Amino acid sequence: MLHVITKAQAAACVREQLKQMAPRTETVALRQALRRVLAQDIVAAEDIPPFDRTTVDGYAVVAADTFGAGASLPAELEIVGEIAMGEAPAFSLKRGQCAKIATGGMLPPGADAAVMVEHTDDLGGVCLCYAGVSPGANVTKRGDDVTAGTVALQKGTVLGARELGVLAMLGVYDVPVFQKPAVAVISTGDELVTGTPKDGQMRDVNSFLLSAALEDAGCSVRMYGAVKDQKQAITAALEDCLQTADMVLLSGGSSAGTRDMTVEILGEKGEVFFHGIAMKPGKPTIFGTAQGKPVFGLPGHPLAAYFVCRLIVFEALRALLCLPPEEPVGTAPLAVNLPSNHGREEYLCVQKQPDGSLRPLHTKSGVISVLTQADGFVCVPRDAEGFAAGTNVAYYKV
Ligand code: AMP
Ligand code: MG
């Protein structure tokens, strides 16, 4: 018999257990930091940009010298030099003077604006300036991008290309990140094969599906492969995996039938915290610990295993990697009525229609290809009898 708890209770239980596991950190080279999770706030050590610089090709000027200048009455400025890229100007500007400058060049002391070359004429030693500029025009001031001492990136940020760009700008070439949780994935079932199945056999999907989902979520994964429904074999696989992994997932055999041995094995090797979640799919889900490490027993149906991984196992990863709670992709109206009265929280794949509405992709249990057709999933709460067509619902990344 399963003693079913709500999904919220299950998630809270997982978080509570994971709280005791301090996340481990390491430092990786910036080039290796893509998709890793920041282990501490990155505080800017310096102003970015570190000096006032132009955003145009043209002339560094004293803005006041250009006031009132126009096409018929240009300002006449003495060209006192040219500012080389990558070098600090060796001179300063006095009133009535200007200096040639290229985009990104450092403004000389005394200058407070730049004029675009298109608005000027070079008469040789003298620049005619046909446009008035105000102080700060065409200039990025020191610290405009990032001010020294401020938090540029927060702990828990998943580093993408844009974040790596910011780190490069700040000179953070050694990046503090959380270690990747080492997760082992075991499939169980007498019927499972990799290769060509005989009648009655099925290809092992979960090993690949769950391993990829976990890698995608920032784990380093050991795909153990498929194990027969034999207590000894499953126990040996679990023990083997516990030697090196921080967390173990077993799929299949998680219900309460005679061939469902995961809960018994976990009870013997450690402690079971719950067996059964009021969610659909995903009811026969087990969570416990062995040797102080979290162990999940997931339903065998690939779709159910995937949803439990996404919704419950990822809760553990969020705790281990200090990630913020998952936010929906957005909200959109339902294209049709969505009845649901199972007394379980129901998760359904949805497809976005050309008019922006969401159409549920109904599936029979055991069907998995729906995952590749879905643009997201929605959740119908336990106490709701479904949603009427047109209701705005939140949807999440599948
Ligand atoms: P079980 O949870 O072991 O009762 O399995 C439920 C259903 O999921 C059965 O039809 C199994 O054949 C199928 N199943 C279990 N494990 C896997 C797997 N790794 N890959 C594909 N299907 C599986
Ligand atoms: Mg089975």
Coordinates of all heavy atoms in Angstrom, one line a residue, residues 15-48:
R15 N 13.4 18.8 0.4 CA 14.2 20.0 0.7 C 14.8 19.8 2.2 O 16.0 20.2 2.4 CB 13.4 21.2 0.7 CG 13.4 21.9 -0.7 CD 12.9 23.3 -0.6 NE 11.6 23.4 0.0 CZ 10.4 23.3 -0.7 NH1 10.5 23.1 -2.0 NH2 9.3 23.4 -0.1
E16 N 14.0 19.4 3.1 CA 14.4 19.2 4.5 C 15.6 18.3 4.6 O 16.6 18.6 5.3 CB 13.2 18.7 5.3 CG 13.5 18.5 6.8 CD 13.8 19.8 7.5 OE1 13.4 20.9 7.0 OE2 14.6 19.7 8.4
Q17 N 15.6 17.2 3.9 CA 16.7 16.2 3.9 C 17.9 16.8 3.3 O 19.0 16.6 3.8 CB 16.3 14.9 3.2 CG 15.2 14.1 4.0 CD 15.7 13.8 5.4 OE1 16.8 13.4 5.7 NE2 14.8 14.0 6.3
L18 N 17.7 17.5 2.2 CA 18.9 18.0 1.4 C 19.5 19.2 2.2 O 20.7 19.5 1.9 CB 18.4 18.5 0.0 CG 18.5 17.5 -1.1 CD1 19.9 17.2 -1.4 CD2 17.8 16.2 -0.8
K19 N 18.8 19.8 3.1 CA 19.3 20.9 3.8 C 20.6 20.5 4.6 O 21.5 21.3 4.8 CB 18.3 21.4 4.9 CG 18.0 22.9 4.8 CD 16.9 23.3 5.6 CE 16.7 22.8 7.0 NZ 15.5 23.2 7.6
Q20 N 20.6 19.2 5.0 CA 21.8 18.8 5.8 C 23.0 18.5 4.9 O 24.1 18.3 5.4 CB 21.4 17.5 6.5 CG 20.2 17.7 7.5 CD 19.4 16.5 7.7 OE1 19.9 15.4 7.5 NE2 18.1 16.7 8.0
M21 N 22.8 18.5 3.6 CA 24.0 18.3 2.7 C 24.6 19.6 2.2 O 23.9 20.3 1.4 CB 23.6 17.5 1.5 CG 23.0 16.1 1.9 SD 22.5 15.2 0.4 CE 24.0 15.0 -0.5
A22 N 25.7 20.0 2.8 CA 26.3 21.3 2.4 C 26.7 21.3 0.9 O 27.5 20.3 0.6 CB 27.4 21.7 3.3
P23 N 26.4 22.2 0.1 CA 26.8 22.2 -1.3 C 28.4 22.4 -1.3 O 28.9 23.2 -0.6 CB 26.1 23.3 -2.0 CG 25.2 23.9 -1.0 CD 25.5 23.4 0.4
R24 N 29.0 21.6 -2.2 CA 30.5 21.7 -2.3 C 30.8 22.7 -3.5 O 30.1 22.7 -4.5 CB 31.1 20.4 -2.6 CG 31.0 19.4 -1.4 CD 31.9 18.2 -1.6 NE 31.4 17.5 -2.9 CZ 30.6 16.5 -2.9 NH1 30.1 16.0 -1.8 NH2 30.3 16.0 -4.1
T25 N 31.8 23.5 -3.3 CA 32.2 24.4 -4.3 C 33.6 24.1 -4.9 O 34.3 23.4 -4.3 CB 32.2 25.9 -3.8 OG1 33.2 25.9 -2.8 CG2 30.9 26.2 -3.2
E26 N 33.8 24.7 -6.1 CA 35.1 24.5 -6.7 C 35.3 25.7 -7.6 O 34.4 26.5 -7.8 CB 35.2 23.2 -7.5 CG 34.3 23.2 -8.7 CD 34.3 21.9 -9.4 OE1 35.3 21.1 -9.3 OE2 33.4 21.6 -10.2
T27 N 36.6 25.9 -8.1 CA 36.9 27.0 -9.0 C 37.2 26.5 -10.3 O 37.9 25.5 -10.5 CB 38.1 27.8 -8.4 OG1 37.8 28.3 -7.1 CG2 38.4 29.0 -9.3
V28 N 36.5 27.0 -11.3 CA 36.8 26.6 -12.7 C 37.2 27.7 -13.5 O 36.9 28.9 -13.3 CB 35.6 25.9 -13.4 CG1 35.2 24.6 -12.7 CG2 34.4 26.8 -13.5
A29 N 38.0 27.4 -14.6 CA 38.4 28.5 -15.5 C 37.2 29.1 -16.2 O 36.3 28.3 -16.5 CB 39.4 27.9 -16.5
L30 N 37.2 30.4 -16.5 CA 36.1 31.0 -17.1 C 35.6 30.3 -18.4 O 34.4 30.1 -18.6 CB 36.5 32.5 -17.5 CG 35.5 33.3 -18.2 CD1 34.2 33.4 -17.4 CD2 36.0 34.8 -18.4
R31 N 36.6 29.8 -19.2 CA 36.2 29.1 -20.4 C 35.4 27.8 -20.2 O 34.7 27.3 -21.0 CB 37.5 28.9 -21.2 CG 37.3 28.3 -22.5 CD 36.8 29.3 -23.5 NE 36.6 28.7 -24.8 CZ 35.5 28.1 -25.2 NH1 34.5 28.1 -24.4 NH2 35.4 27.6 -26.4
Q32 N 35.6 27.3 -18.9 CA 34.9 26.0 -18.6 C 33.6 26.3 -17.8 O 33.0 25.3 -17.3 CB 35.8 25.1 -17.8 CG 37.2 24.9 -18.3 CD 37.2 24.4 -19.7 OE1 36.4 23.6 -20.1 NE2 38.1 24.9 -20.6
A33 N 33.3 27.5 -17.6 CA 32.2 27.8 -16.6 C 30.8 27.8 -17.2 O 29.8 28.0 -16.5 CB 32.5 29.2 -16.0
L34 N 30.7 27.6 -18.5 CA 29.4 27.6 -19.2 C 28.4 26.6 -18.5 O 28.8 25.5 -18.3 CB 29.5 27.3 -20.7 CG 28.2 27.5 -21.5 CD1 27.7 28.9 -21.5 CD2 28.4 27.0 -22.9
R35 N 27.2 27.1 -18.1 CA 26.2 26.3 -17.6 C 26.4 25.8 -16.1 O 25.7 25.1 -15.6 CB 25.8 25.1 -18.4 CG 25.3 25.6 -19.8 CD 25.1 24.5 -20.8 NE 23.9 23.8 -20.5 CZ 23.5 22.6 -21.0 NH1 24.3 22.0 -21.8 NH2 22.4 22.1 -20.6
R36 N 27.5 26.3 -15.6 CA 27.8 26.0 -14.1 C 27.0 27.0 -13.3 O 26.5 28.0 -13.8 CB 29.3 26.1 -13.8 CG 30.1 25.1 -14.7 CD 29.7 23.6 -14.4 NE 30.0 23.2 -13.1 CZ 31.1 22.7 -12.6 NH1 32.1 22.5 -13.4 NH2 31.2 22.4 -11.3
V37 N 26.9 26.7 -12.0 CA 26.1 27.6 -11.1 C 27.0 28.4 -10.2 O 27.9 27.8 -9.5 CB 25.1 26.7 -10.3 CG1 24.2 27.6 -9.4 CG2 24.3 25.9 -11.2
L38 N 26.9 29.7 -10.2 CA 27.7 30.5 -9.3 C 27.6 30.2 -7.8 O 26.5 30.1 -7.3 CB 27.4 32.0 -9.5 CG 28.2 32.9 -10.4 CD1 27.7 34.3 -10.3 CD2 29.7 32.7 -10.2
A39 N 28.7 30.0 -7.2 CA 28.6 29.6 -5.7 C 28.7 30.8 -4.8 O 28.6 30.7 -3.6 CB 29.8 28.6 -5.4
Q40 N 29.0 32.0 -5.4 CA 29.0 33.2 -4.5 C 28.7 34.4 -5.4 O 28.8 34.4 -6.6 CB 30.3 33.4 -3.8 CG 31.5 33.5 -4.7 CD 32.8 33.5 -3.9 OE1 33.1 32.5 -3.2 NE2 33.7 34.5 -4.0
D41 N 28.2 35.5 -4.7 CA 28.0 36.7 -5.4 C 29.3 37.2 -6.0 O 30.4 37.1 -5.4 CB 27.5 37.8 -4.4 CG 26.1 37.6 -4.0 OD1 25.4 36.7 -4.5 OD2 25.7 38.3 -3.0
I42 N 29.2 37.7 -7.2 CA 30.4 38.3 -7.9 C 30.3 39.8 -7.7 O 29.4 40.5 -8.2 CB 30.5 38.0 -9.4 CG1 30.6 36.5 -9.5 CG2 31.6 38.7 -10.0 CD1 31.9 35.8 -9.0
V43 N 31.2 40.4 -6.9 CA 31.2 41.8 -6.6 C 32.2 42.5 -7.5 O 33.4 42.0 -7.6 CB 31.5 42.1 -5.1 CG1 31.6 43.6 -4.8 CG2 30.5 41.4 -4.2
A44 N 31.8 43.5 -8.2 CA 32.8 44.2 -9.1 C 33.9 44.8 -8.3 O 33.7 45.5 -7.4 CB 32.0 45.2 -9.9
A45 N 35.2 44.4 -8.7 CA 36.3 45.0 -8.0 C 36.7 46.4 -8.6 O 37.4 47.1 -7.9 CB 37.5 44.0 -8.2
E46 N 36.2 46.7 -9.7 CA 36.5 48.0 -10.3 C 35.3 48.5 -11.1 O 34.4 47.8 -11.4 CB 37.7 47.8 -11.3 CG 37.4 46.7 -12.3 CD 38.7 46.1 -12.9 OE1 39.5 45.5 -12.1 OE2 38.9 46.2 -14.1
D47 N 35.4 49.8 -11.4 CA 34.3 50.4 -12.3 C 34.5 49.9 -13.7 O 35.6 49.7 -14.2 CB 34.5 51.9 -12.3 CG 34.1 52.6 -11.0 OD1 33.2 52.1 -10.4 OD2 34.7 53.6 -10.7
I48 N 33.3 49.6 -14.3 CA 33.3 49.2 -15.7 C 32.4 50.2 -16.5 O 31.3 50.3 -16.1 CB 32.8 47.8 -15.9 CG1 33.6 46.8 -15.1 CG2 32.7 47.4 -17.4 CD1 35.0 46.6 -15.6

